[in-house]
Amino acid sequence: MFSINRGDVDYEDLQLLKKLVHMNGDALVSVTGAKDSWPENRDTLLNIRNLRIEATVYPPGESPKSVILVDDVSLTLKRGRVLGLIGESGAGKSTIGLASMGYGRGGVKITGGEVILNDRDILKIGASGMRKLRGREVCYVAQSAAAAFNPAHRLMEQVVEAALLHGMATRAEAEKRAVALFKKLGLPDSETIGRRFPHQVSGGQLQRVMTAMALCSEPDLIVFDEPTTALDVTTQIEVLAAIRDAIRDTGVAAIYITHDLAVVAQVADEILVLRHGKLVERGMTQQIINHPHEQYTRALVSVHHIDHKQNDGGNAPVLSAKGLTAGYGDGAIKVLRDVSLDLHTGQTLAVVGESGSGKSTLARVITGLLPPLAGSIQFDGRQLPPLLGDRSKEDLRQLQMIYQMADVAMNPRQTVATIIGRPLEFYFEIRGAERDRRVAELLDKIEMGKDLANRYPAELSGGQKQRVCIARALAAKPNLIICDEVTSALDPLVANGILKLLLQLQRDEGVAYLFITHDLATVRSIADSISVMYRGQVVRYGPKGQVLSPPFDPYTELLLSSVPEMEIGWLDRAITSRRMESAGN
Amino acid sequence: MESIAKIIGQRVAFGALTLWIVSLIIFAGVQLLPGDIATELLGQSATPETVAALRKSLGLDIPAYLRYFDWLRSILQGNFGTALANGRDIAELIEPRLFNTLLLAASAAVISVPLALIGGIVSALYRNTFIDRAINVVTLASISFPEFFVAYILILFLAVNAGILPSLSDVDQSTSALGRLTAMALPALTLAVVVLAHMLRMTRTSIVNLLGNQYIETARLKGLPEWRVLVRHALPNALGPIATVIVLNLAYLITGVVVVEVVFVYPGLGQLIVDSVQKRDIPVVQACSLIFAATYVLLNLTADVLSIVMNPRLMRPK
């Protein structure tokens, strides 16, 4: 017989305990303490019980079937607290977040469980009850604010819309509140920014306006769905701090959805780890980060720990770019200015920078898609013609490329064998049984089974697709592969697998990589030398050890200090040191 | 704003170019018509001498390209020439007819455009339900029938059986405003039925196409009722394509009325062109064709300008 004092435990925990010890029909637990000293749902804002969500899918050539997206997930959220939902794509994070508003995207349906918000099950209040709750009790902040704002209306009109709709304020009051929120979220021109249209405001600012829009009707709960994922790392830190402070100051509760554990560690009180629609682990942020219980959580926490010793490479540069200047519109807009780089045989040169820094343009120039306005490219000791059409088949073979979106880089109507076999036919004229043997060999190299040879790209997972693209590049036996953000679209664990594979292939085949990325963690794990780009120029270039050690130039310092670290309190420190620095200047 | 003035300027220039090409085609087309106006006017029994004299007085003995430039020059000066059949000034002849046609087109538009917009929104709101399908079937059926058939059906029911509307739309200067409206009711209704479907379907499709956008989800998650989501958030973004289709249909209302005007004996431009073709009154045919072409070009230009004006991204650059 257990004896429990009401003052010692949470309501939820007690219910669970009671359930567990009720097994033989005998109550094995007795509860002591005054009943009214412990009002049942006093603090609980949201209580999701045994949630089950299904979707109807229409596989080509088959009859429609139902798939389970979320299975038996329960969670509770107290007023004013922040719960982080973390997991890979397909884990059901967004689906659960939207379910807390009673909303399912497309054919998604909540088929089981309860969603108790403010003491009532919102799955039972009907469509009109749900409409009264959305935008009033719960608000939503989407990943891409640029897509989430209506291009036809001014920002202010959209920010105050929910508050006006639900009759919570007059227009004048709502607009006044919106301006105060703009100010709180650190938006410039807070008085007038509301008069602009969405396309007139930058991505980071738009994300803040979206947060202000959610806060404007003073909801009890905000669902943040990857609000900083689409932003550059140096913008992300500011937006993250603005969101975190706004949550703190207004006392609103939040569900914060992200795939980045380091980000969620900065804002959440508690974290829920999900995988394939099921709950993996739940705990306080501190515990999940520092002492994860489950194997999967441990893998998530240690995701970027790849051991790669800096390889100093051979002496001959395989690629040597000198003074490359390139641009669009007959050079009216210069995207690259005087870029020089050397890449040695069997080495990885990481080109890192934010969007708009010219990284992808550099790849276009090297591959000959965009002839440079000035400068030259030496490849394997010979001059490379600037235009793709002037290059020999041999030049083309030695320089291969892997793209960010494996999905669109493959013909959806060709099988894996055709896709990988094509370079073999084109460059080496290998056909028939010999080709099939080589394809099988390549599939083995990318750690995929032979039986996948007859599949179509649509039948592969994201990671598998990227592996097929790697095999296709490898089939040409190139000296250099340009990897353009090859892991950006992948989940961290899958991306990790791809990076390990690339390193393994480099050791086996001696191929050099020009690795374009915005992700400094990836750079740390695989680069031998690094070139940091900013507004079309190389601001820092050298071996990895040197580039990543102080003293830094201001931009590299900013970039490095913006990468979230998996450490509670990192955001505060980073923001404080940034503010102090700008005050010192 | 400067760039918008530039875009509009470009469109106007293209419009002028199109009109010029059209004038060439009209002139060339008329030249290719079999028969000769002089023989036609004088009849079978005319002597070769009288025919030659008439040809000369009509200027038909001058080479075609010279006649084209003469024609073009006088049109640019606002002079359409005189009708062969009765020697009247063509501008004077066309003016009341054009007014009648424009009035008929306007009445048809006043009926059909609001109906199309409302019908399209209702159809989108109840998409894939019985209501949507019913609207779909009715409108598709109405464009599948030829106009004269729709006209006769309407005459049968509203004029012959019910007897509430006249089946002939004979109006002139002396007709009162009310008389005009009653007289025009049936042709206007016929035209409205014919153009309604296209505009309605486009409104529905344009709205439904936008529903997959993230900002529609944002609007729904604010708790907006579905009709407000459609009207406030989808419709403003769909106005570009809808305006284009509406304007094209308006152009059709003006230029495609020939059959309807003939059925109802309505004294519009369509009637005039049919009569003139029968009489081989070439200058009138040319003038009417050019007016039709100008209407098309002008209305298309309006559609282009409208879709620019309604897009804040073009109106307010960063």
Side-chain angles (χ1 to χ4, degrees):
Chain A
M1 183 75 151
F2 297 95
S3 189
I4 289 170
N5 190 308
R6 281 188 212 279
D8 297 342
V9 291
D10 266 347
Y11 173 75
E12 302 300 332
D13 295 342
L14 183 76
Q15 295 305 312
L16 193 68
L17 197 59
K18 270 177 158 174
K19 229 185 228 172
L20 286 174
V21 294
H22 240 292
M23 279 179 286
N24 297 328
D26 304 316
L28 296 177
V29 61
S30 73
V31 184
T32 58
K35 231 176 187 162
D36 57 356
S37 76
W38 191 57
E40 288 205 346
N41 293 325
R42 189 189 54 191
D43 290 340
T44 308
L45 169 66
L46 177 70
N47 187 358
I48 293 181
R49 283 190 207 147
N50 312 104
L51 187 67
R52 182 186 168 93
I53 300 176
E54 290 176 60
T56 314
V57 291
Y58 302 88
E62 286 171 53
S63 53
K65 58 181 178 193
S66 195
V67 289
I68 297 171
L69 297 182
V70 174
D71 190 17
D72 195 22
V73 169
S74 300
L75 61 89
T76 54
L77 179 61
K78 292 200 168 79
R79 285 182 194 285
R81 306 277 280 178
V82 181
L83 174 71
L85 291 188
I86 186 151
E88 307 175 358
S89 53
K93 314 182 291 285
S94 297
T95 313
I96 293 173
L98 288 170
S100 68
M101 310 179 76
Y103 186 85
R105 264 185 195 141
V108 172
K109 282 206 174 63
I110 301 170
T111 52
E114 294 172 326
V115 178
I116 296 162
L117 179 79
N118 280 331
D119 303 326
R120 70 199 185 291
D121 187 353
I122 63 167
L123 302 180
K124 297 204 176 94
I125 57 177
S128 75
M130 214 96 90
R131 273 202 300 275
K132 283 192 194 109
L133 155 162
R134 291 179 191 149
R136 175 187 191 154
E137 287 171 54
V138 204
C139 291
Y140 181 75
V141 176
Q143 173 171 357
S144 165
F149 274 105
N150 192 327
H153 296 299
R154 290 171 202 273
L155 292 173
M156 182 58 87
E157 202 56 40
Q158 305 188 51
V159 169
V160 301
E161 190 175 19
L164 296 186
L165 173 81
H166 297 296
M168 305 172 73
T170 64
R171 179 170 287 270
E173 284 164 7
E175 289 191 358
K176 207 171 136 203
R177 199 186 292 159
V179 170
L181 284 167
F182 292 157
K183 204 170 281 168
K184 189 200 286 289
L185 285 156
L187 282 162
D189 310 321
S190 50
E191 295 287 338
T192 54
I193 197 167
R195 276 184 236 146
R196 297 196 209 163
F197 282 93
H199 70 275
Q200 296 173 305
V201 177
S202 77
Q205 290 174 0
L206 219 44
Q207 207 69 46
R208 294 176 207 217
V209 177
M210 182 121 204
T211 306
M213 181 159 86
L215 285 164
C216 192
S217 49
E218 298 181 331
D220 301 319
L221 172 66
I222 299 181
V223 178
F224 289 94
D225 195 350
E226 305 254 15
T228 63
T229 307
L231 303 175
D232 272 323
V233 67
T234 50
T235 317
Q236 161 170 291
I237 177 171
E238 298 282 347
V239 175
L240 196 59
I243 289 177
R244 204 260 328 257
D245 294 345
I247 291 175
R248 256 184 210 170
D249 298 350
T250 54
V252 65
I255 291 178
Y256 197 99
I257 296 162
T258 175
H259 67 278
D260 191 341
L261 202 46
V263 164
V264 82
Q266 311 310 319
V267 286
D269 303 307
E270 266 182 280
I271 293 176
L272 214 67
V273 183
L274 295 158
R275 188 183 201 193
H276 306 320
K278 291 201 175 90
L279 186 67
V280 173
E281 184 169 357
R282 170 192 183 151
M284 301 305 286
T285 305
Q286 186 77 37
Q287 179 250 310
I288 295 281
I289 301 290
N290 297 328
H291 312 284
H293 294 315
E294 298 296 321
Q295 177 66 38
Y296 178 68
T297 316
R298 277 203 288 276
L300 277 184
V301 171
S302 62
V303 67
H304 280 302
H305 296 176
I306 290 183
D307 260 340
H308 173 62
K309 238 181 90 211
Q310 183 182 321
N311 170 5
D312 290 327
N315 27 20
V318 58
L319 176 83
S320 173
K322 289 210 170 46
L324 287 182
T325 297
Y328 299 97
D330 294 329
I333 307 150
K334 284 205 176 60
V335 185
L336 286 185
R337 265 169 289 178
D338 197 21
V339 170
S340 300
L341 304 162
D342 278 318
L343 172 52
H344 293 268
T345 325
Q347 257 205 341
T348 302
L349 167 64
V351 178
V352 62
E354 302 181 6
S355 52
S357 62
K359 333 183 272 296
S360 292
T361 306
L362 179 63
R364 285 172 60 85
V365 170
I366 293 172
T367 52
L369 290 169
L370 180 74
L373 298 165
S376 66
I377 305 164
Q378 292 264 330
F379 188 72
D380 246 358
R382 63 182 188 276
Q383 192 78 21
L384 211 53
L387 253 175
L388 186 65
D390 300 336
R391 294 187 182 175
S392 68
K393 204 167 177 180
E394 186 60 13
D395 289 335
L396 300 180
R397 180 185 69 78
Q398 295 204 340
L399 207 167
Q400 294 292 316
M401 194 151 175
I402 311 172
Y403 305 87
Q404 176 172 3
M405 309 298 280
D407 270 320
V408 291
M410 289 187 284
N411 188 332
R413 292 181 182 274
Q414 289 181 348
T415 61
V416 168
T418 317
I419 291 167
I420 300 178
R422 180 63 190 150
L424 297 173
E425 289 169 13
F426 183 72
Y427 294 118
F428 307 111
E429 297 182 357
I430 297 171
R431 286 164 215 282
E434 172 65 6
R435 192 202 72 156
D436 294 343
R437 200 184 56 75
R438 294 284 283 274
V439 167
E441 221 174 81
L442 283 161
L443 280 173
D444 193 49
K445 270 187 194 150
I446 56 168
E447 295 155 17
M448 277 169 68
K450 278 193 270 299
D451 48 321
L452 290 169
N454 293 322
R455 294 240 193 127
Y456 287 93
E459 299 168 310
L460 302 175
S461 73
Q464 285 175 325
K465 282 179 202 162
Q466 200 54 287
R467 280 169 195 257
V468 172
C469 288
I470 293 172
R472 176 173 63 182
L474 221 52
K477 295 194 177 293
N479 288 346
L480 169 66
I481 299 181
I482 298 178
C483 306
D484 190 356
E485 300 269 11
V486 290
T487 55
S488 307
L490 301 172
D491 286 313
L493 288 177
V494 179
N496 227 28
I498 296 285
L499 293 180
K500 282 182 182 154
L501 175 70
L502 284 171
L503 287 173
Q504 180 62 41
L505 293 171
Q506 187 168 55
R507 278 193 291 274
D508 295 350
E509 317 271 325
V511 58
Y513 297 132
L514 182 76
F515 201 94
I516 293 167
T517 182
H518 69 277
D519 182 11
L520 276 162
T522 308
V523 171
R524 281 205 182 93
S525 356
I526 86 154
D528 300 308
S529 51
I530 300 175
S531 152
V532 180
M533 291 194 63
Y534 180 60
R535 296 194 176 167
Q537 279 173 310
V538 174
V539 293
R540 195 173 172 90
Y541 170 60
K544 174 164 74 172
Q546 195 187 316
V547 167
L548 296 181
S549 319
F552 295 114
D553 59 285
Y555 179 70
T556 308
E557 169 124 51
L558 177 72
L559 202 59
L560 286 171
S561 69
S562 301
V563 179
E565 282 168 31
M566 215 170 289
E567 202 183 295
I568 294 165
W570 164 81
L571 182 61
D572 288 315
R573 283 198 301 283
I575 286 287
T576 317
S577 76
R578 183 174 289 200
R579 302 256 154 88
M580 273 164 61
E581 232 160 74
S582 58
N585 284 344
Chain B
M1 285 315 272
E2 216 174 280
S3 62
I4 286 154
K6 204 175 137 197
I7 295 171
I8 293 175
Q10 266 177 359
R11 299 287 151 95
V12 172
F14 274 121
L17 183 71
T18 314
L19 264 185
W20 174 66
I21 293 171
V22 166
S23 79
L24 266 179
I25 294 171
I26 290 172
F27 193 82
V30 167
Q31 296 308 309
L32 290 174
L33 284 178
D36 184 282
I37 311 160
T39 357
E40 199 68 30
L41 286 175
L42 294 172
Q44 296 277 315
S45 55
T47 61
E49 289 76 32
T50 46
V51 171
L54 185 60
R55 283 180 64 91
K56 197 170 168 110
S57 80
L58 291 175
L60 291 176
D61 56 337
I62 308 171
Y65 70 94
L66 285 179
R67 271 186 283 136
Y68 170 72
F69 285 119
D70 271 350
W71 179 60
L72 197 63
R73 193 181 326 115
S74 48
I75 283 175
L76 288 177
Q77 289 162 353
N79 177 12
F80 285 91
T82 50
L84 295 181
N86 47 20
R88 282 177 63 190
D89 185 58
I90 293 180
E92 251 173 53
L93 192 67
I94 283 178
E95 205 201 274
R97 299 286 192 135
L98 182 63
F99 172 77
N100 284 347
T101 293
L102 288 179
L103 196 66
L104 178 60
S107 324
V110 165
I111 301 169
S112 60
V113 172
L115 262 182
L117 282 178
I118 293 167
I121 291 168
V122 168
S123 207
L125 189 57
Y126 296 100
R127 59 193 170 279
N128 306 327
T129 64
F130 174 74
I131 298 177
D132 180 27
R133 301 230 165 86
I135 292 178
N136 193 6
V137 166
V138 169
T139 51
L140 279 182
S142 72
I143 39 170
S144 305
F145 294 127
E147 293 153 30
F148 63 85
F149 182 77
V150 175
Y152 287 133
I153 293 285
L154 288 178
I155 288 176
L156 177 67
F157 284 110
L158 295 176
V160 179
N161 289 357
I164 38 177
L165 289 171
S167 63
L168 285 185
S169 313
D170 211 1
V171 292
D172 55 42
Q173 256 85 358
S174 63
T175 321
S176 69
L178 188 69
R180 260 178 193 276
L181 280 184
T182 355
M184 275 191 331
L186 273 183
L189 213 55
T190 310
L191 284 172
V193 167
V194 171
V195 295
L196 181 67
H198 194 190
M199 294 191 283
L200 191 149
R201 306 276 314 147
M202 194 63 196
T203 305
R204 178 197 182 276
T205 311
S206 306
I207 290 177
V208 170
N209 274 348
L210 290 174
L211 294 185
N213 278 311
Q214 177 84 49
Y215 58 79
I216 297 296
E217 184 177 280
T218 307
R220 288 191 182 136
L221 289 177
K222 280 176 181 173
L224 291 176
E226 188 69 8
W227 68 268
R228 272 186 73 163
V229 172
L230 294 191
V231 173
R232 268 200 56 77
H233 288 274
L235 190 61
N237 291 290
L239 282 180
I242 294 174
T244 309
V245 167
I246 288 181
V247 168
L248 278 179
N249 277 291
L250 290 185
Y252 176 80
L253 280 180
I254 295 168
T255 60
V257 292
V258 178
V259 176
V260 174
E261 285 185 5
V262 171
V263 169
F264 290 100
V265 204
Y266 183 76
L269 218 48
Q271 276 272 348
L272 181 65
I273 202 170
V274 171
D275 290 349
S276 306
V277 168
Q278 273 167 358
K279 294 183 202 148
R280 307 263 164 190
D281 200 340
I282 301 306
V284 180
V285 174
Q286 284 177 341
C288 288
S289 308
L290 207 56
I291 286 174
F292 282 166
T295 315
Y296 244 106
V297 169
L298 199 69
L299 284 170
N300 267 311
L301 190 70
T302 318
D304 282 349
V305 174
L306 273 181
S307 53
I308 292 169
V309 171
M310 282 184 299
N311 187 341
R313 263 178 280 207
L314 291 175
M315 283 303 280
R316 280 163 239 277
K318 286 200 175 186

